[in-house]
Amino acid sequence: MLGWNRGSSVSASPSPSSRYRNIYKSRNGNQRKMKLEHMSVTPKAITRGDNSHIDQLLVAGPGHEAVEALQSVKHRVDRDTAVCLMTNGLGVLEEVRARVFQGTESSPSFVLGHMSHRLAFDRRTASVRELRYGMTQLTFPDSGRLGQDVEKTESRIDFVRTIEGVKDLNSSLTPFDKWLRFKLPSVILDSVVEPVCVLMEIPYAGLQRNPAARRMMQRLLAEIVSVVDNMPEIEGSAAIRDFIRGNRIQQYIYSRIMARRAASSDLARQIQNGLPTDIDYLNGFFIRRGHQLGIQTPTNLMIRDMIKAKHSLAIERLNSYIPVEETSVPSHLSFRYRTLPPNSRGNRLV
Ligand SMILES: CC(C)(CO)[C@@H](O)C(=O)[O-]
């Protein structure tokens, strides 16, 4: 989570890109690389002892971390703050509004973002590397309500300009339906392919030659398409219609499975290690929306519950181990996901 205020002494220069002074470019053969050096500001450090106002706040990463991240800085956010949610999955904004800002006078304005740059955290050098250069798209949710609140609109336009000023992010502001068209493929892939890999305990390569796995994916996809087709905020959008109708999605899913055939599933790794997943913002989002729209989503419901059951079993299994050496859960998360009392952590094998 990155937050800053206009008056802070982060940089002497007021130019927006100077705020990202930890980003630098290097050349490796013909490939352009952007590197993000380790920031000394961690999410905890941003909250502790600092009550100054945050003008612009970027929340990125897993969807399930957004509520907690915003709770931790809620006292520094008000109607003049613009928050950009660049998290995985869908329905994160709805959750943030309901759980963090419901009934408060101080709700900030929101920008939604999604990027196709592929970044990876390098533990060795504690830095983020860009594996693939892509683009960033930004949009205003509830654009139908624009104009009702000029001040709020101004603060988020300012934020969009700040982000656009960072050339390496390659950002642009797009209408909501075009933004969703940009984000939907990755959300659909994570809702249709990943859970089936996990439940069948097969890597991507095993999916295409397994008829039962293919049928399961088709059923998940059919329900998701039916929900998306009825979402009121994208009613009449040609961009979404062209993507979800016809063969485009199937072709996309097939090409991603082939491209990643040797890879194991990210969701499988999270579950195996008892780490939280974003299933509530993937299949969970389509289940909630389906329910609101009166559309049945039984396959998504079953898959979501099976993933949750598998996750609970993994945590039980991990908790049954006597932790002689921490290997499966990062040590800074062990208090959160292990239920062993602290004084039993030093037990020896008997
Ligand atoms: C679903 C959504 C993208 C807008 O319809 C947004 O409300 C969200 O992510 O919660």
Side-chain angles (χ1 to χ4, degrees):
M1 185 164 58
L2 297 175
W4 60 84
N5 50 34
R6 288 183 196 98
S8 76
S9 58
V10 166
S11 159
S13 154
S15 95
S17 57
S18 64
R19 289 178 173 129
Y20 296 89
R21 67 205 163 122
N22 62 320
I23 295 180
Y24 64 95
K25 281 187 224 158
S26 69
R27 283 189 180 272
N28 181 357
N30 284 335
Q31 265 188 314
R32 195 164 72 112
K33 295 228 186 257
M34 177 180 81
K35 289 186 180 174
L36 189 69
E37 279 183 347
H38 178 64
M39 298 268 289
S40 56
V41 181
T42 64
K44 284 217 172 93
I46 212 172
T47 66
R48 221 179 279 145
D50 187 351
N51 292 320
S52 62
H53 183 259
I54 298 174
D55 298 329
Q56 298 176 333
L57 182 66
L58 177 66
V59 182
H64 65 263
E65 285 182 1
V67 165
E68 195 186 329
L70 277 155
Q71 285 285 13
S72 71
V73 289
K74 190 180 166 184
H75 60 292
R76 298 178 54 194
V77 164
D78 65 13
R79 286 172 57 82
D80 296 326
T81 305
V83 176
C84 177
L85 286 182
M86 218 178 289
T87 50
N88 300 340
L90 288 173
V92 178
L93 173 58
E94 284 162 5
E95 190 84 349
V96 162
R97 280 189 168 139
R99 289 182 49 199
V100 187
F101 297 108
Q102 181 104 303
T104 63
E105 290 285 297
S106 58
S107 186
S109 57
F110 289 96
V111 178
L112 293 174
H114 181 68
M115 62 162 70
S116 59
H117 300 281
R118 260 186 75 206
L119 307 177
F121 184 69
D122 182 345
R123 281 166 206 258
R124 207 170 33 87
T125 53
S127 61
V128 175
R129 274 163 190 265
E130 185 188 60
L131 304 179
R132 192 188 63 208
Y133 188 65
M135 62 166 129
T136 306
Q137 288 197 3
L138 306 165
T139 195
F140 296 147
D142 330 312
S143 35
R145 289 198 279 137
L146 270 185
Q148 277 186 6
D149 200 334
V150 175
E151 217 173 351
K152 286 190 140 196
T153 301
E154 265 175 21
S155 62
R156 52 191 189 174
I157 286 175
D158 271 0
F159 198 6
V160 167
R161 289 207 187 104
T162 304
I163 297 172
E164 281 176 345
V166 184
K167 292 284 168 273
D168 281 315
L169 289 177
N170 189 19
S171 323
S172 57
L173 181 65
T174 51
F176 179 77
D177 67 321
K178 300 256 169 54
W179 175 85
L180 193 63
R181 167 65 184 88
F182 180 56
K183 180 160 184 168
L184 214 41
S186 63
V187 174
I188 288 182
L189 197 72
D190 288 347
S191 307
V192 168
V193 178
E194 291 272 320
V196 176
C197 282
V198 171
L199 293 178
M200 303 200 65
E201 298 184 356
I202 47 178
Y204 275 64
L207 291 171
Q208 278 309 111
R209 55 174 184 266
N210 190 316
R214 288 210 308 269
R215 278 199 300 278
M216 220 184 289
M217 291 193 298
Q218 274 157 13
R219 282 202 290 267
L220 286 168
L221 182 61
E223 291 175 8
I224 289 172
V225 164
S226 159
V227 171
V228 173
D229 212 7
N230 285 283
M231 279 169 65
E233 58 268 60
I234 45 171
E235 197 184 349
S237 161
I240 298 285
R241 194 188 51 227
D242 290 351
F243 179 58
I244 62 172
R245 299 197 190 151
N247 251 348
R248 283 236 180 126
I249 296 196
Q250 277 88 349
Q251 280 165 0
Y252 169 77
I253 291 176
Y254 179 72
S255 72
R256 293 310 302 150
I257 290 174
M258 296 314 280
R260 297 203 59 193
R261 60 186 174 277
S264 56
S265 134
D266 289 341
L267 185 61
R269 184 187 47 78
Q270 286 164 350
I271 289 184
Q272 214 175 7
N273 293 333
L275 295 169
T277 73
D278 268 340
I279 197 81
D280 284 330
Y281 302 103
L282 298 166
N283 307 75
F285 170 77
F286 297 110
I287 295 166
R288 286 194 297 281
R289 265 308 167 93
H291 185 72
Q292 286 162 6
L293 296 166
I295 297 166
Q296 304 280 320
T297 51
T299 316
N300 277 275
L301 205 66
M302 185 190 68
I303 292 279
R304 184 206 56 188
D305 286 350
M306 287 178 79
I307 292 292
K308 288 196 168 198
K310 230 178 146 73
H311 186 243
S312 302
L313 286 173
I315 290 177
E316 267 176 42
R317 178 177 48 79
L318 289 164
N319 281 337
S320 72
Y321 293 164
I322 297 174
V324 174
E325 189 186 349
E326 289 286 4
T327 53
S328 46
V329 177
S331 56
H332 69 284
L333 292 176
S334 62
F335 285 107
R336 199 158 149 196
Y337 302 112
R338 298 266 168 97
T339 54
L340 284 177
N343 60 6
S344 68
R345 294 173 64 79
N347 284 355
R348 300 233 178 97
L349 272 174
V350 284

